Amino acid sequence: MYPCGNCRAVAVGPDGRCAACGTYQQQLQQPSAPLQTLQTPQTPGGYPAAPPMGMPAGGVDLRRGLSTTLIVLFGVALPALIFVLVGRGDQYGVIADMVDSGWATDHALKDLEDADDVYTTGAVLYFFIMVAIAVVWAIWFRRLRLNAEVFAPGRHRFGSGWAAGAWFTPVVNLWFPKQIANDIWRASSPSGPHEVRRGLLNAWWVTWIVAAVANAIGTIRYNALRAKTDDHLMSYAEAKSNLGELRDILAVEVFATVVLIAAAVLALLLVRQITAMQERRASLPPQLAGPAPYGMPAPNPYGAPSPGAAPYGAPAPGSAPYGAPQMPPTPPTPPPGRPGQQPPPYGQG
């Protein structure tokens, strides 16, 4: 047993897991190593050399509770989205029949109300599931960011607070979360940040943004036009025009719901993928960093000091230790020729 880097309790076993808080530790040295292996080597000047490189000290939280909860919630959200898609399909079918007949009869309006009820029921179920997903996702995403800081300290463009808050901040939530996810993915890659392939991450983000924007525009426009279909005083031309617009908007809504289902499937796969990546990354030593994000300094090995930097308190390379006598400068080598002979002036032989 040795102290935990997260809760400071002396409860970490040989497997690196703290029995008090559950975090897994990444230590510079194994505490069970012999004493002589833990001693720091000395430099020729008598100063301690840099310790052997390893994962930065501190806890990496690899508990699967949040990721498992997200997988379950996305599994429940998929049937709710299919229910929403069925409701939108019923609405589209009723509106299409109205357009073909050229008028909104009382029977057709009753069918449209029934289709609206089916859609509303599915939308309410999906809304409550999405609230639960949003809360758990923000907590889980922030934990990923904290773990990524251990894997790649100082290599992130945003703090850990933005990992949760960026999702709920208007306007910036269109690109801040993706940049944070890129940094987390790069730091958590077991093969190193220079071999990062983000196909799954990019596909999830594109489908999520397209579905969210299309669904918001379609819902607002549909509600505005749907209120006009109950007006029996409008002219035939107005009613036909509104029905045509409703059909087009519902086609966009059906498309947005299909894309949202794809985004939910990709999000489920993403949770599983990045959880497995961080578990594998936690078992590896520091790796050489890839290209630095825009505006960041040049890359160094993750968790390592800058190349060529002397350890704290040690003399700079090529300089004498403190208190040692300075060596006299080496005299210049005389030019070739006979002793005492001066070299000829420039241009004369």
Side-chain angles (χ1 to χ4, degrees), residues 140-166:
W140 171 77
F141 198 70
R142 183 175 181 273
R143 176 180 293 180
L144 293 182
R145 171 63 180 80
L146 294 174
N147 288 345
E149 183 66 31
V150 178
F151 301 147
R155 307 293 300 164
H156 300 268
R157 288 169 282 188
F158 300 93
S160 59
W162 276 111

Side-chain angles (χ1 to χ4, degrees), residues 12-343:
V12 181
D15 60 347
R17 183 179 184 275
C18 177
C21 64
T23 58
Y24 286 85
Q25 311 296 309
Q26 298 293 330
Q27 301 293 332
L28 293 175
Q29 299 278 351
Q30 292 294 336
S32 58
L35 180 60
Q36 59 271 20
T37 63
L38 298 179
Q39 295 177 353
T40 306
Q42 300 291 321
T43 62
Y47 294 88
M53 296 310 304
M55 187 68 71
V60 177
D61 196 340
L62 300 177
R63 290 174 294 178
R64 290 193 172 188
L66 292 175
S67 59
T68 302
T69 303
L70 280 175
I71 292 174
V72 172
L73 287 174
F74 279 117
V76 176
L78 286 173
L81 281 172
I82 295 175
F83 196 179
V84 171
L85 181 62
V86 170
R88 282 303 192 198
D90 290 344
Q91 290 173 326
Y92 180 84
V94 174
I95 293 295
D97 292 340
M98 289 182 182
V99 173
D100 294 338
S101 63
W103 193 252
T105 63
D106 292 338
H107 184 269
L109 290 176
K110 180 63 171 60
D111 291 342
L112 183 58
E113 290 178 358
D114 294 340
D116 288 343
D117 293 339
V118 173
Y119 168 76
T120 302
T121 302
V124 170
L125 291 175
Y126 175 68
F127 171 78
F128 285 110
I129 296 173
M130 276 302 299
V131 170
I133 289 177
V135 174
V136 180
W137 181 279
I139 300 173
W140 171 77
F141 198 70
R142 183 175 181 273
R143 176 180 293 180
L144 293 182
R145 171 63 180 80
L146 294 174
N147 288 345
E149 183 66 31
V150 178
F151 301 147
R155 307 293 300 164
H156 300 268
R157 288 169 282 188
F158 300 93
S160 59
W162 276 111
W167 297 96
F168 308 102
T169 306
V171 182
V172 300
N173 58 4
L174 296 177
W175 73 89
F176 273 25
K178 179 57 166 59
Q179 292 181 327
I180 297 172
N182 287 343
D183 293 343
I184 292 174
W185 190 278
R186 183 185 300 109
S188 305
S189 174
S191 59
H194 53 283
E195 297 182 2
V196 175
R197 296 177 178 86
R198 297 193 295 262
L200 176 60
L201 179 63
N202 294 335
W204 160 75
W205 182 255
V206 170
T207 53
W208 164 250
I209 292 296
V210 170
V213 173
N215 185 64
I217 295 175
T219 300
I220 295 173
R221 187 59 181 161
Y222 176 81
N223 292 335
L225 293 174
R226 176 65 179 85
K228 297 181 180 181
T229 58
D230 296 329
D231 186 4
H232 296 279
L233 300 179
M234 71 174 61
S235 64
Y236 174 80
E238 290 177 337
K240 188 174 182 179
S241 175
N242 289 336
L243 290 175
E245 287 190 53
L246 273 177
R247 182 186 59 184
D248 296 339
I249 289 298
L250 284 173
V252 174
E253 279 286 281
V254 170
F255 167 76
T257 306
V258 172
V259 177
L260 193 58
I261 292 175
V265 173
L266 292 174
L268 190 152
L269 298 176
L270 179 68
V271 172
R272 297 182 58 183
Q273 176 69 18
I274 199 167
T275 299
M277 286 172 59
Q278 290 208 337
E279 289 177 350
R280 292 177 57 195
R281 179 66 186 88
S283 64
L284 299 176
Q287 300 165 345
L288 292 178
Y294 180 76
M296 299 287 290
N300 296 326
Y302 283 176
S306 300
Y312 179 76
S319 62
Y322 179 77
Q326 298 290 336
M327 298 298 296
T330 304
T333 304
R338 291 178 295 177
Q341 181 181 2
Q342 297 295 328

